[in-house]
């Protein structure tokens, strides 16, 4: 018997199932990222985005298509993180705008919604690229329009659309050379397919595990670190049961415990004839799960963020303080918000007059909601936002669109050094428009380098990279690869410095000792005697050095 419509209740289940499936596959999606850097990745950003919407859906009291559409749209827009998360939120925004007045959706309504979703997302991206999540979204819209003309049976319509999305996803490496070189499909496109996969499973009536949505629904990830939190070496309490497929020997137990000790502490490993109970505190729950799978199937998987309760208290206190300060502080003409990545960087921005710092940057892309909270806290008519990361600009733009009572100006800074240069060139005596043009012009003269380590094997920019290699990353890609932090940094600088360069700035990270940074800065001075060299404590995680050449 044909199924011709989907009611709001079923559509909600399909959406939540899509969110749950994305959450389950996020580490797999993270592994598809072309750049092997230890950053907040595509799978993580898309999951946090959709979980924000899932939380809103679960809170609906009066259930109909309009309330469902509002919850999905509002939740995803405010929770959007990273470029992939913002694009996902725009897809959901366009889709829900199309269906919000429907009693139920049929094939024509779905086709129309997919078309609007695609158009909305393309419009949000300044320079859309083919071979990305946008390409997969367009494939969904095109196939939906085609199938709506052929059938009114959703049992034919949905699998055909899903199959075409998967087919186009597999073609993305042929559209983007960088994907082909790395041997992967587009990670954002894979994320969208996982959402569709989960939604289709719910349509078919398959049993869905929604526990991940409940455990993620209250997660706060804006980075506000204190010494108390920093003392938590391993942040995730991870528990699961292995249903063994072969005998679990004493040697297996010894080896498994040794592996868990290499990634965490507080280890419990208890085995009987058919099951093994595991408990570990680790920063990488996925690694524990992957190792467990080598012994059998997993059950009762549970991950708790031990920093979450502490973080939530800090955020509540910070928001309360910000509101109190806003009440006390007189309204001013211009304010500044900047995204930063370490205490040293934070202090530099504070000294330069930034009113509100959103800490996260590379290690965790802040959400649109984080931006809106910052905007609310700054009592100014005009507010400049410095995203300082190319993966945060879209979220800042989204916050700009959602703000009606203040003039928000996004300076599209892609790195912290660009942000520092932008605010240094702000002139209080000039008007907002003049400062905007000046800042845009000045950040063009900043060349940025970042030195970190590779988290996976890959091939990119004609370079063979292995896990643990040190990488020097410039504005256009990976410029140097080696085994030594300092040698790799020197090779990176050699490609950034030219005869017009006047200043080299080094910002050393939390894993670099001050005496080593001091000595290294002197070596750079000797290498480039005609260029001024200064060094600062950045305190940034993950990146040994962030540097700029002007």
């Amino acid at each position: 018997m044909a199924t011709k419509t989907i009611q709001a209740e079923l559509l909600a289940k399909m959406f939540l199932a899509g969110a749950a499936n994305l959450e389950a596959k996020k580490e797999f999606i993270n592994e598809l990222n072309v750049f092997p850097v230890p950053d907040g990745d595509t799978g993580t950003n898309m999951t946090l985005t959709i979980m924000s919407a899932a939380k809103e859906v679960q809170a609906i009291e009066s259930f109909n298509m309009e309330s469902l559409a509002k919850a999905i749209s509002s939740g995803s827009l405010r929770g959007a993180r990273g470029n992939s998360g913002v694009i996902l939120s725009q897809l959901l925004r366009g889709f829900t705008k199309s269906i919000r007045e429907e009693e139920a959706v049929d094939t024509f309504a779905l086709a129309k919604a997919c078309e609007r979703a695609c158009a909305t997302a393309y419009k949000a991206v300044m320079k859309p690229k083919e071979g990305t999540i946008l390409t997969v979204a367009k494939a969904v819209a095109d196939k939906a329009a085609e199938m709506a003309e052929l059938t009114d049976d959703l049992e034919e319509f949905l699998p055909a659309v899903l199959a075409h999305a998967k087919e186009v996803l597999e073609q993305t490496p042929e559209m983007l050379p960088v994907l082909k070189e790395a041997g992967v499909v587009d990670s954002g496109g894979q994320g969208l397919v996982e959402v569709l996969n989960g939604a289709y499973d719910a349509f078919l009536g398959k049993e869905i595990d929604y526990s991940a949505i409940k455990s993620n629904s209250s997660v706060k990830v804006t980075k506000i670190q204190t010494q108390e939190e920093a003392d938590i070496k391993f942040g995730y309490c991870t528990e699961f049961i292995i249903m063994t497929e072969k005998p679990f020997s004493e040697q297996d137990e010894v080896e498994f415990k040794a592996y868990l000790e290499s990634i965490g502490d507080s280890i419990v490993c208890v085995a009987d004839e058919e099951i093994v109970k595991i408990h570990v505190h680790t920063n990488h729950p996925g690694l524990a799960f992957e190792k467990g799978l080598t012994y059998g199937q997993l059950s009762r998987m549970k991950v708790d963020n031990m920093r979450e309760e502490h973080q939530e208290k800090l955020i509540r206190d910070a928001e309360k303080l910000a509101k109190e300060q806003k009440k006390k502080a007189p309204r001013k003409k211009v304010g500044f918000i900047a995204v930063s990545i370490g205490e040293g960087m934070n202090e530099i921005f504070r000294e330069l007059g930034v009113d509100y710092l959103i800490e996260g940057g590379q290690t965790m892309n802040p959400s649109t909601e984080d931006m809106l909270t910052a905007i609310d806290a700054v009592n100014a008519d005009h507010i400049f936002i410095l995203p300082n990361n190319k993966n945060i600009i879209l979220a800042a733009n989204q916050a700009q669109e959602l703000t009606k009572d203040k003039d928000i100006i996004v300076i599209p800074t892609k790195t912290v050094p660009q942000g520092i240069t932008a605010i240094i060139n702000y002139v209080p005596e000039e008007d907002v428009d003049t400062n905007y043009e000046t800042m845009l012009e000045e950040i063009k003269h900043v060349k940025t380098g970042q030195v970190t380590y590779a988290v996976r094997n890959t091939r990119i920019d004609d370079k063979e990279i292995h896990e643990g290699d040190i990488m020097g990353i410039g504005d256009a890609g990976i410029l140097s690869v080696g085994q030594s932090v300092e040698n790799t940094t020197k090779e990176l600088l050699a490609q950034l410095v030219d005869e017009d360069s006047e200043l080299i700035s080094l910002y050393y990270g939390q894993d670099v000792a001050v005496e080593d940074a001091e000595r290294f800065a002197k070596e750079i001075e000797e290498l480039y005697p005609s260029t001024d060299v200064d060094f600062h404590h950045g305190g940034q995680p993950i990146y040994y050095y962030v540097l700029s050449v002007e």
Side-chain angles (χ1 to χ4, degrees):
M1 187 174 178
T3 303
K4 296 190 176 183
T5 60
I6 296 174
Q7 305 293 325
E9 287 83 356
L10 176 55
L11 190 60
K13 288 181 181 178
M14 291 171 68
F15 174 74
L16 293 175
N21 194 52
L22 178 60
E23 201 282 337
K25 303 292 175 54
K26 70 175 183 287
E27 291 303 329
F28 164 65
I29 295 165
N30 284 341
E31 289 295 317
L32 295 175
N33 279 313
V34 172
F35 265 57
V37 292
D39 285 345
D41 286 329
T42 301
T44 301
N45 284 333
M46 292 183 74
T47 297
L48 289 169
T49 298
I50 205 168
M51 287 299 175
S52 176
K55 178 184 177 183
E56 296 293 323
V57 170
Q58 289 184 320
I60 293 175
E61 294 180 3
S62 177
F63 222 102
N64 54 45
M65 202 67 79
E66 184 177 359
S67 63
L68 175 61
K70 183 179 179 182
I72 293 174
S73 180
S74 176
S76 62
L77 283 173
R78 290 178 171 272
R81 297 176 188 275
N83 291 344
S84 56
V86 171
I87 292 171
L88 177 60
S89 74
Q90 290 294 326
L91 288 169
L92 294 171
R93 180 189 189 190
F95 186 91
T96 53
K97 272 190 175 182
S98 183
I99 65 163
R100 66 190 315 146
E101 295 181 4
E102 303 283 350
E103 290 289 330
V105 291
D106 57 14
T107 57
F108 275 106
L110 285 174
K112 183 181 174 184
C114 289
E115 181 183 1
R116 185 160 184 178
C118 185
T120 304
Y122 266 90
K123 187 178 178 182
V125 180
M126 190 171 293
K127 294 180 180 178
K129 283 185 180 178
E130 293 309 315
T132 65
I133 182 175
L134 293 172
T135 305
V136 178
K138 189 173 186 302
V140 169
D142 290 346
K143 192 64 177 180
E146 176 191 325
M147 291 301 298
E149 296 290 340
L150 299 176
T151 182
D152 62 356
D153 185 356
L154 288 162
E155 293 179 32
E156 293 180 25
F157 176 91
L158 293 176
V161 171
L162 178 57
H164 187 62
K166 292 177 179 179
E167 181 183 332
V168 171
L169 174 65
E170 292 302 318
Q171 295 169 9
T172 55
E174 301 303 320
M175 303 176 199
L176 270 181
V178 69
L179 296 176
K180 189 169 186 177
E181 185 181 22
V184 295
V185 297
D186 178 68
S187 54
Q190 183 73 56
L192 179 57
V193 165
E194 297 303 344
V195 174
L196 298 175
N197 265 331
Y200 184 54
D201 283 346
F203 174 79
L204 294 175
K206 293 184 180 179
E207 188 173 339
I208 308 294
D209 179 5
Y210 295 106
S211 59
I213 295 175
K214 292 178 182 177
S215 65
N216 274 277
S217 62
S218 61
V219 172
K220 302 279 190 180
V221 295
T222 303
K223 187 68 179 152
I224 304 175
Q225 187 180 58
T226 66
Q227 186 60 41
E228 184 180 344
E229 179 201 338
D231 289 340
I232 302 175
K233 186 176 180 182
F234 299 105
Y236 296 96
C237 176
T238 305
E239 299 178 10
F240 57 97
I241 289 173
I242 307 171
M243 296 176 288
T244 54
E245 296 171 348
K246 56 185 178 181
F248 191 79
S249 66
E250 288 186 12
Q251 183 61 30
D252 289 332
E253 183 174 346
V254 170
E255 290 176 357
F256 196 16
K257 282 183 177 178
Y259 177 77
L260 293 176
E261 286 171 355
S262 74
I263 63 168
D265 62 14
S266 300
I267 294 158
V268 175
C269 178
V270 181
D272 67 11
E273 291 182 358
E274 296 181 349
I275 66 169
V276 182
K277 170 71 174 177
I278 299 296
H279 173 280
V280 60
H281 291 175
T282 178
N283 289 326
H284 303 284
L287 295 179
F289 291 149
E290 288 292 332
K291 187 67 174 178
L293 284 168
T294 64
Y295 298 99
Q297 297 182 36
L298 304 188
S299 175
R300 300 187 186 178
M301 295 178 286
K302 181 172 176 283
V303 178
D304 291 320
N305 185 341
M306 295 187 293
R307 299 186 181 101
E308 181 179 332
E309 184 177 339
H310 181 58
Q311 282 285 343
E312 288 183 343
K313 181 180 184 302
L314 286 173
I315 289 167
R316 286 195 302 271
D317 291 347
E319 289 175 348
K320 181 180 177 182
L321 178 62
K323 287 178 181 177
E324 289 173 356
Q325 289 175 340
K326 186 174 73 169
K327 289 177 183 176
K328 294 176 185 176
R331 185 84 164 187
K332 58 181 182 176
K333 183 179 179 182
V334 176
F336 286 91
I337 295 168
V339 179
S340 186
I341 55 171
E343 189 47 51
M345 298 289 196
N346 293 352
E347 191 56 38
I348 291 170
F349 278 120
R350 289 190 194 103
E351 290 175 358
L352 291 171
V354 169
D355 300 278
Y356 193 107
L357 287 167
I358 302 174
E359 197 168 349
Q362 261 87 347
T363 54
M364 177 57 73
N365 298 149
S367 67
T368 301
E369 181 69 38
D370 295 330
M371 296 282 180
L372 292 170
T373 298
I375 289 168
D376 183 58
V378 178
N379 194 15
D381 297 324
H382 311 276
I383 301 174
F384 286 91
I385 298 182
L386 307 171
N388 300 333
N389 185 307
K390 65 182 180 181
N391 208 33
I392 301 173
I393 294 172
L394 284 182
N397 289 340
Q398 197 149 276
Q400 178 188 47
E401 291 176 10
L402 293 171
T403 302
K404 306 303 179 187
D405 61 336
K406 297 175 183 176
D407 176 34
I408 307 301
I409 308 104
V410 178
I411 305 295
T413 50
K414 296 180 180 179
T415 64
V416 167
Q418 282 189 352
I420 291 171
T421 294
I423 195 168
I424 284 174
N425 282 278
Y426 173 78
V427 180
E429 293 75 23
E430 300 286 356
D431 60 42
V432 169
D433 291 339
T434 300
N435 273 301
Y436 174 69
E437 295 299 330
T438 300
M439 294 159 87
L440 282 184
E441 186 60 33
E442 290 301 325
I443 64 176
K444 294 177 185 176
H445 305 311
V446 181
K447 291 186 250 182
T448 303
Q450 301 175 94
V451 182
T452 186
Y453 56 93
V455 295
R456 66 182 73 93
N457 298 338
T458 191
R459 180 175 177 78
I460 184 172
D461 296 336
D462 291 325
K463 293 178 176 63
E464 201 73 42
I465 297 170
H466 300 95
E467 183 179 347
D469 283 352
I470 305 300
M471 302 179 298
I473 305 170
D475 296 319
I478 297 173
L479 301 181
S480 59
V481 179
Q483 302 301 311
S484 158
V485 170
E486 293 186 358
N487 287 341
T488 304
T489 306
K490 288 176 183 177
E491 289 177 23
L492 173 62
L493 270 172
Q495 298 185 60
L496 298 179
V497 177
D498 57 31
E499 64 273 9
D500 296 324
S501 301
E502 297 176 353
L503 173 66
I504 298 172
S505 298
L506 294 171
Y507 303 88
Y508 63 94
Q510 66 180 20
D511 296 321
V512 178
V514 60
E515 56 271 20
D516 291 336
E518 226 173 288
R519 174 186 50 75
F520 186 56
K522 289 178 181 176
E523 290 182 24
I524 299 303
E525 286 177 348
E526 292 172 5
L527 281 173
Y528 302 100
S530 61
T531 305
D532 291 333
V533 177
D534 58 14
F535 79 101
H536 310 271
H537 173 234
Q540 68 273 7
I542 294 176
Y543 289 80
Y544 303 108
Y545 287 101
V546 172
L547 53 93
S548 66
V549 177
E550 301 176 58

